[in-house]
Structure formats: structure tokens, C-alpha cells
Amino acid sequence: MEKEILESLWNGDGESQVQAALELCRLSRKQRHKLEESRVMVPLISMLHSENYEAVEAALCALLSLSFGSERNKIRIIKYGALAVLVSLLHCDSQRATHLTLAAMLTLSSCKANKVAIASSGAVQLLVGFVNNSNCSIQSQLDAIATLQNLTTCKEIVPLIVSSGVMMSLLELIHTSVKSSPLVEKAIGLLENIVSSSESALCEAGSTIGAIRILVETVEDGSSVSKEHAVCVLLLVCQSCREKYRELILTEGVMPGLLQLSVDGTWRAKSMARELLLLLRDCSNYSSRCKQIDHELVERIMDEIEAEGEELADTTLRLVEEMIAKLHA
């Protein structure tokens, strides 16, 4: 079977190549390993240049099959010259081919040795174009975001990603999407990762009109994962310049969601929520989208949080509930 597939890929006509690529996808891992040593990726990459999208899609499926679980094959695919044609396929006319190409980019970008090459290929700007593109599938958006997330683990690539306009795309996506959705979870996770690694991105997160409100809304309405990422970004923004951003954050009505998160968020979210609450204290005479904050009660809660440390006592929980009730009254 393996020899027949290899023969068809190297020497067969177009239809034979398509069938051989599809047969390769059905092979066991042991059978695929035998083909890997015969440079089977070379004819598959040649198929990516075809004007027949059926051939392109079959080749992409076969390359994905070979790359799963094999760092060596991921490196080989790039080494054998697949990257340039993959980048070109990101804006092809076939939606399925585009989707498969994004899946391939996601898989290849998980390999440390490929990250710089992918970033240098021009792929970053194209990937950012998928982030807030309502004309593509949610899965395509998720794959593009996940690929960018993979690339951000290489710190030297982060400035290139920031300069691509990704911050605005992510903020717009979060703003227009259901805050508790998986898409927002991935988007705000990427946002946190970028802001944590780039001073310019952090500055952009704080200074972009509407950004703080978007983050506050995510603290209020997001999933537990999204809330954790959102409060981290708000904390980083406030820490970067407390005098500049403290009142802006308070004015957007962060207190109800922040107090609630300090009680029932994830362990990490609770810790950051309490740290942000402490940064926001000692601010009288500010307004919010709710009502004037009961400053004395906030101070009591902060004193309890500082005294109790990681675990909030029953008294503190009662104070938080009382505070939230007052804010929503």
C-alpha cells in the first residue's frame, strides 16, 4: 500500500495523486512513518501549487496527517518549501482550502523551530485579517487566533504582531461578540499574552477609546476564563500608570464585576481582582455607570481582604454582597 501511494504521488496523473493523498490520510502512524523517509512531502507540496482545489485540499489533508504529533515532520514541511504557497493559499477562492491552510499554519506554528520563519513570511498580517472577519467561519477565526498565540511565545516576534494592528482587531472582536463565547476566550487570552509581553501593546490597551469599557464588560459578562484574562489586562494597565488609568477604570463601572470576581472567580482571577481593588482604593468623588460608590464600605472590604489574604471570611463575603447590591440598586 505504501509503495503504491508513493508511486502515484511521484509519477501519477492528477486524479491518481488526489486519490493517493487521500489514501495516505487513512494510513496508520506506523505506515505513514515508512513514507516519511521517502520524502513523500515533496510531491504533496508540489500539489499545493495546482489550480485544481481538489488536489490542493487533498495535499493539505495529507500534510496535516503527517504533521500531527511529529515535530520533525513539521520542520520538514517548512524545509521543503511549503511556507510560501501556504501563505498564498490564505487568500485563495476556496473556503475549504483556506480553512485547511489555517489548520496547517496552526499545526506548523506549534513547532518552536518554525515560528520565526512563519512570522517572516508575511503570514502575520494575513492571520490578523481573519481575527475580526465576519465573512469567515468561527473555526477559521479560532485557528488564526491560536496560530498568533503560538507565535507570541517567541518574544522576538511580538513587536511584529503588535505592529500588524492585532490589538484593534481583537478589541473589536471582543466588543461585537458574546462575552461568554469560546471565541472571546481565545481573543482575550491572546490580548493578555501580547499586553504582558509588549509595552507598546500595553499602552495601546489603555489609550484606545473604548478599550477599558470592553474589558470591564468582559469582567462582568465573560466566562470564567475570559474574566480572568480581562482582569489581568486591567491590572496591567492600572499598574503601568495608576494615576492615569485608575479613574478611567472606575468611571467605566468596574466595581460590581470586580468585587464579584474577588469572591467567585478562578484562583488566579481572585488574586488579580483583589490586587486591582487595592490599586483602585482611596478614590473618592468619582462617578460610574452605576451609582456613586459607597467609599466607606469599599474601604471596609479592602481592609478585610488585606487581613484575610487568600481566603475571604464570611464577614467579607457578606460585605461584598452588600456592596454589589448597593451598586446595582
Side-chain angles (χ1 to χ4, degrees):
M1 173 68 78
E2 296 92 326
K3 290 182 179 179
E4 294 165 351
I5 289 174
L6 196 60
E7 176 65 25
S8 294
L9 286 173
W10 277 106
N11 302 313
D13 58 21
E15 185 176 346
S16 297
Q17 286 183 318
V18 169
Q19 292 304 314
L22 295 176
E23 285 295 331
L24 188 153
C25 297
R26 302 185 185 101
L27 295 179
S28 67
R29 184 168 184 173
K30 184 177 180 180
Q31 289 173 310
R32 292 198 303 271
H33 180 69
K34 293 179 182 179
L35 290 172
E36 292 163 10
E37 303 307 319
S38 302
R39 292 166 53 90
V40 68
M41 296 171 199
V42 174
L44 290 171
I45 292 170
S46 294
M47 290 172 65
L48 296 179
H49 294 273
S50 173
E51 295 182 0
N52 178 3
Y53 282 124
E54 184 181 7
V56 172
E57 292 163 12
L60 285 167
C61 288
L63 289 168
L64 280 166
S65 180
L66 291 166
S67 66
F68 286 144
S70 175
E71 296 298 287
R72 182 170 60 176
N73 284 347
K74 293 172 188 176
I75 294 171
R76 282 174 170 171
I77 290 170
I78 298 296
K79 180 182 177 181
Y80 291 155
L83 191 52
V85 66
L86 287 174
V87 170
S88 69
L89 286 170
L90 284 174
H91 45 71
C92 71
D93 294 329
S94 168
Q95 188 173 16
R96 176 169 167 75
T98 301
H99 174 68
L100 289 169
T101 302
L102 283 167
M105 283 291 194
L106 173 57
T107 302
L108 296 173
S109 67
S110 67
C111 176
K112 182 179 179 180
N114 291 338
K115 296 180 189 290
V116 172
I118 292 172
S120 303
S121 69
V124 169
Q125 194 68 56
L126 294 172
L127 290 167
V128 171
F130 284 96
V131 169
N132 194 33
N133 187 345
S134 59
N135 294 321
C136 65
S137 67
I138 291 177
Q139 188 59 54
S140 292
Q141 290 176 288
L142 288 169
D143 286 350
I145 291 169
T147 302
L148 290 167
Q149 183 78 279
N150 284 342
L151 295 178
T152 60
T153 61
C154 181
K155 300 307 179 186
E156 63 187 281
I157 298 174
V158 173
L160 175 63
I161 295 174
V162 174
S163 67
S164 70
V166 69
M167 294 291 291
M168 186 60 70
S169 293
L170 289 170
L171 288 168
E172 288 177 357
L173 175 62
I174 296 164
H175 175 61
T176 58
S177 302
V178 176
K179 299 298 183 290
S180 58
S181 67
L183 188 58
V184 168
E185 285 187 3
K186 297 298 183 183
I188 202 161
L190 176 58
L191 186 73
E192 180 196 337
N193 203 16
I194 294 172
V195 165
S196 301
S197 306
S198 167
E199 288 291 333
S200 62
L202 179 59
C203 181
E204 189 174 348
S207 60
T208 298
I209 296 175
I212 290 176
R213 173 170 293 185
I214 290 167
L215 293 168
V216 169
E217 289 173 348
T218 307
V219 168
E220 293 174 347
D221 302 324
S223 67
S224 59
V225 173
S226 294
K227 289 178 179 181
E228 179 180 311
H229 293 311
V231 74
C232 179
V233 177
L234 284 171
L235 178 59
L236 289 169
V237 167
C238 194
Q239 287 174 331
S240 71
C241 186
R242 183 171 181 252
E243 292 72 22
K244 180 178 180 180
Y245 294 116
R246 183 180 61 183
E247 186 174 353
L248 289 173
I249 294 171
L250 288 167
T251 301
E252 293 299 343
V254 73
M255 291 303 291
L258 201 56
L259 287 165
Q260 190 67 51
L261 195 60
S262 72
V263 175
D264 60 14
T266 65
W267 178 87
R268 181 169 177 259
K270 287 179 183 178
S271 176
M272 291 186 293
R274 294 168 194 172
E275 189 173 352
L276 182 54
L277 282 167
L278 293 173
L279 281 175
L280 297 176
R281 72 186 302 181
D282 299 325
C283 293
S284 57
N285 300 321
Y286 65 82
S287 60
S288 73
R289 286 181 296 164
C290 300
K291 292 194 174 185
Q292 184 72 18
I293 302 296
D294 187 328
H295 185 64
E296 182 179 346
L297 187 51
V298 172
E299 286 297 309
R300 288 169 61 196
I301 293 172
M302 294 300 96
D303 291 340
E304 288 284 343
I305 288 174
E306 287 183 321
E308 294 295 334
E310 287 299 321
E311 297 297 329
L312 289 179
D314 290 341
T315 302
T316 313
L317 294 175
R318 179 181 54 76
L319 286 171
V320 170
E321 291 169 355
E322 180 183 347
M323 183 72 229
I324 294 170
K326 282 179 176 290
L327 289 169
H328 285 300

